[in-house]
Amino acid sequence: MDERIIRKTGYDMLDHIWIKLRTLTCIEDKGWRLTLDFVQSHTLMIAISSKLKVVVDGRICFLNPGNAFICLPGQLVQASAAEEHKGGLFLFQFDAVVEAGSTESGLELSRQKSVFPISGEISLADRSSISSLCSTISGNMQSDSALDRMRGQAAFQDLLCRLLQDALPAAVQDHASEALMDRTRTYMEQHFSRNITIDELAEMAGVSRYYYMRTFKLQNGRSAMDYLSELRINQAKVLMEKTKIRLRDIAKQVGYNDEYYFIRKFKQQVGIPPATYIKNRQRKVAAYSFPNIGQLLALKIVPFAAPMDHSWTDLYRRKYQYDVVTKLSHDYEFNREALRTARPDYIIGIDHFVPIDEQEKLKQVAPAFFVPWLKHNWREHLRLTSEFLGISSAAEQWIEDYERKAKMIRNQVKGVVNSDTVMIVQMTEADFYVYGERSIADVLYSDLQLNCPQQVKGIDTYQPATLQQLGDYDADRILLMFTNERSLQENWEILQRNEAWRALKAVQNHGVALISPWMWFEYSAYTQERFLSEASAVFKA
């Protein structure tokens, strides 16, 4: 291989890596699974004729025949073979240590963070020869002869070389790729009205199409096409607010030649069609308390003013930064002055979160309604809000759609969860909390009709618990989220070292699944619907 190509792709580090194959398993069992845990060695899975589901750090990848997947030490990995598994699945575990230098006493090796140049999914250029090579390695490594086992190690090196060759376009160095991604992002921001394609952006970055899509999403939290859509839709919002241009002309100005496609994309991102958006923006509604945001979005109203200083409102900041003109905070006086200046048509708040005297002051600014928080559940919150705004039918339609979706997902997960009891646990810096019925757990117990541990039935919103007390709940399954400053691996290692955690029924039965944090602190129609979708994906995984 040309040395210039090796340096360009970051493979020059291979000169300093020592590799040794530790274990090799040829999997024939249809029920094979790799239980959720942090892998200690580099793990290579090669699917020759089988389908494989791999979950790495919470991200799901479906591996089709003719593909390989490399996991790095420290990653949280779970994998399972598809039901129609026909064999042809190889699992390799190997060490890749770095040559730190040499001394008079010999070579020094460093077990620092993995510097192996590739990870993730790799498409095999020649499945047949890879299959043959895997079989050769397997035969040699099982031999009683040390020479044969040495040949197996050499053949494994050959296997890695072939995989590195197949993954060559995806091995651009990270620091260079970040600059290239920035360049394409700037290009999209300046030319979003043009017909921009992934192939064009990848060519501009000088990488493969697949590598570009994967790297852009990793660095920006969304795909390149989603980012381009956000730019276009946000500009469309500006044009809708400031001009009386026809919708088809707005679509063309922001890069959509097809008006109906533009309408679909707008609804997909904003949640409501352009006509409804324009109509509702004529009425300026302020969401005074953070749960009001989710209530209004379910009613197809993007708030004109809203609090944006909570850590879990990042999704709102990203999607609606151009819509929320007036940013509110925790300071009552600041909020009153901001709203006086903004002159909203309505103010929606939560009675439990706003003192009575402050409620009266806000009613002097604009007509205001404070949702009776403790008296009702999220459905009634939605209905009462819609009634105040004179759009009761919108709430009823939303709830009807929600119930239909819940029924569909309930039927999907029923065969997976069966009669198992399920509970949601939050881990903070030093404490644990079990979620009750006035939280996202309501999705599990009311909407999906999953079994609730007996002790959870008495919990309203959440209840603190020690690790030892978690055992008293006797849950078959636990949905776990971390809300602290530690990394995922640090949290997991803390739990794994704890005897009380290891003794939990859900842990012993491999019934623990991770869910994303922060968003679920908001008890509203919008977040319940989002968690309904996430719960479906979690149980399927």
Side-chain angles (χ1 to χ4, degrees):
M1 187 182 296
D2 184 49
E3 183 68 18
R4 291 170 297 176
I5 296 178
I6 294 177
R7 287 207 174 93
K8 180 181 178 182
T9 58
Y11 284 7
D12 55 317
M13 195 63 198
L14 292 172
D15 288 334
H16 308 284
I17 296 177
W18 290 66
I19 294 172
K20 183 175 181 65
L21 174 62
R22 293 298 179 185
T23 64
L24 163 59
T25 307
C26 179
I27 297 161
E28 303 292 344
D29 184 9
K30 289 186 177 181
W32 176 83
R33 61 181 296 184
L34 185 66
T35 56
L36 182 68
D37 203 352
F38 285 98
V39 293
Q40 301 301 313
S41 301
H42 294 77
T43 302
L44 165 63
M45 290 170 269
I46 298 181
I48 300 298
S49 55
S50 297
K51 290 184 179 180
L52 191 66
K53 179 162 63 178
V54 185
V55 184
V56 179
D57 292 336
R59 296 181 180 179
I60 302 175
C61 174
F62 293 95
L63 205 64
N64 289 315
N67 286 272
F69 199 99
I70 294 180
C71 306
L72 302 180
Q75 289 185 318
L76 187 61
V77 179
Q78 184 179 28
S80 59
E83 292 182 0
E84 63 271 23
H85 173 65
K86 301 177 181 178
L89 175 60
F90 295 89
L91 178 69
F92 299 85
Q93 290 184 312
F94 65 97
D95 290 336
V97 294
V98 179
E99 177 185 327
S102 58
T103 64
E104 292 182 359
S105 58
L107 186 69
E108 289 184 348
L109 299 178
S110 170
R111 292 184 176 272
Q112 62 181 26
K113 182 179 178 182
S114 175
V115 293
F116 197 72
I118 59 173
S119 63
E121 186 176 2
I122 304 165
S123 180
L124 305 179
D126 188 346
R127 188 200 314 186
S128 177
S129 65
I130 292 294
S131 176
S132 176
L133 186 55
C134 288
S135 298
T136 298
I137 298 170
S138 178
N140 285 332
M141 294 304 292
Q142 294 179 50
S143 173
D144 293 332
S145 167
L147 286 175
D148 284 341
R149 293 195 297 274
M150 187 174 182
R151 292 187 183 97
Q153 292 286 348
F156 180 68
Q157 299 268 351
D158 184 20
L159 173 64
L160 289 182
C161 284
R162 297 191 189 195
L163 295 179
L164 288 164
Q165 178 67 52
D166 290 343
L168 192 59
V172 180
Q173 295 181 40
D174 288 343
H175 69 275
S177 67
E178 186 173 351
L180 293 171
M181 296 304 116
D182 288 342
R183 179 185 175 191
T184 61
R185 189 169 59 247
T186 300
Y187 178 81
M188 284 188 279
E189 291 167 356
Q190 295 175 346
H191 305 288
F192 58 81
S193 62
R194 296 182 181 178
N195 181 26
I196 300 175
T197 66
I198 285 291
D199 290 334
E200 178 185 357
L201 295 171
E203 184 178 354
M204 183 183 301
V207 296
S208 73
R209 187 176 193 272
Y210 171 75
Y211 178 77
Y212 177 79
M213 291 190 295
R214 185 180 65 175
T215 305
F216 189 97
K217 186 171 185 178
L218 185 65
Q219 293 182 5
N220 296 277
R222 51 208 185 276
S223 70
M225 290 295 100
D226 284 345
Y227 183 75
L228 180 60
S229 293
E230 286 182 16
L231 293 173
R232 289 170 169 173
I233 298 303
N234 285 331
Q235 179 59 25
K237 291 177 183 176
V238 173
L239 294 174
M240 290 175 189
E241 294 256 355
K242 297 182 179 180
T243 67
K244 293 185 178 180
I245 306 175
R246 292 182 304 175
L247 207 56
R248 69 176 64 178
D249 295 326
I250 290 177
K252 288 182 179 179
Q253 285 193 36
V254 299
Y256 296 105
N257 293 322
D258 186 335
E259 176 187 356
Y260 298 103
Y261 181 71
F262 164 70
I263 293 173
R264 289 199 301 273
K265 293 297 291 185
F266 190 97
K267 184 177 181 180
Q268 180 183 10
Q269 181 173 319
V270 183
I272 54 179
T276 306
Y277 176 85
I278 294 171
K279 177 183 176 181
N280 289 343
R281 289 298 284 178
Q282 295 172 358
R283 196 166 47 168
K284 299 192 294 186
V285 183
Y288 193 85
S289 306
F290 68 87
N292 298 128
I293 303 174
Q295 294 164 357
L296 292 174
L297 289 176
L299 297 174
K300 300 182 179 180
I301 297 174
V302 181
F304 176 81
M308 288 288 169
D309 55 349
H310 295 284
S311 56
W312 58 89
T313 53
D314 180 64
L315 173 68
Y316 294 146
R317 280 193 294 271
R318 199 181 77 198
K319 292 189 70 170
Y320 303 109
Q321 59 180 317
Y322 290 93
D323 302 286
V324 180
V325 178
T326 303
K327 311 294 191 294
L328 303 180
S329 70
H330 288 77
D331 187 281
Y332 295 139
E333 186 175 352
F334 171 87
N335 288 345
R336 280 201 312 276
E337 291 304 314
L339 291 172
R340 282 197 186 98
T341 302
R343 301 176 65 183
D345 297 313
Y346 301 98
I347 299 173
I348 307 294
I350 302 294
D351 66 346
H352 188 61
F353 299 168
V354 185
I356 296 294
D357 60 334
E358 187 62 29
Q359 292 181 30
E360 294 303 318
K361 291 177 183 178
L362 289 170
K363 289 178 181 178
Q364 302 303 312
V365 177
F369 173 67
F370 295 89
V371 178
W373 187 249
L374 299 180
K375 293 181 180 178
H376 302 289
N377 61 26
W378 65 265
R379 286 175 173 82
E380 290 306 309
H381 295 162
L382 185 67
R383 288 188 172 106
L384 291 169
T385 302
S386 67
E387 183 179 334
F388 173 76
L389 295 172
I391 51 173
S392 296
S393 61
E396 297 305 326
Q397 183 61 57
W398 193 94
I399 292 173
E400 182 181 332
D401 293 341
Y402 178 89
E403 302 293 359
R404 188 182 303 110
K405 180 177 180 179
K407 181 179 180 180
M408 178 187 69
I409 295 176
R410 182 164 61 244
N411 292 333
Q412 291 174 350
V413 304
K414 186 177 181 180
V416 177
V417 182
N418 298 314
S419 61
D420 290 355
T421 56
V422 187
M423 72 176 182
I424 298 175
V425 176
Q426 172 194 357
M427 179 180 174
T428 63
E429 289 292 342
D431 302 303
F432 293 87
Y433 295 89
V434 177
Y435 276 47
E437 295 177 347
R438 285 179 61 84
S439 71
I440 53 171
D442 182 60
V443 172
L444 303 180
Y445 307 135
S446 296
D447 302 322
L448 298 183
Q449 298 177 7
L450 302 181
N451 289 326
C452 175
Q454 189 63 35
Q455 284 190 299
V456 175
K457 292 179 180 179
I459 300 175
D460 183 36
T461 304
Y462 59 84
Q463 180 171 295
T466 63
L467 263 176
Q468 288 73 18
Q469 290 170 336
L470 289 181
D472 297 335
Y473 289 91
D474 200 35
D476 298 304
R477 294 172 181 261
I478 292 176
L479 303 185
L480 177 66
M481 60 176 161
F482 300 120
T483 54
N484 53 50
E485 298 301 320
R486 293 188 291 267
S487 70
L488 179 66
Q489 182 173 354
E490 287 172 331
N491 280 310
W492 195 258
E493 289 177 349
I494 289 172
L495 293 177
Q496 294 289 56
R497 290 195 298 266
N498 191 290
E499 185 177 348
W501 170 260
R502 297 196 305 270
L504 294 178
K505 181 197 289 187
V507 175
Q508 293 184 350
N509 294 338
H510 310 294
V512 178
L514 298 180
I515 58 174
S516 56
W518 303 122
M519 187 73 185
W520 316 131
F521 294 137
E522 181 186 307
Y523 181 59
S524 72
Y526 183 78
T527 51
Q528 297 296 103
E529 193 273 336
R530 286 185 65 88
F531 184 68
L532 181 64
S533 299
E534 172 150 337
S536 172
V538 166
F539 287 122
K540 287 178 183 178

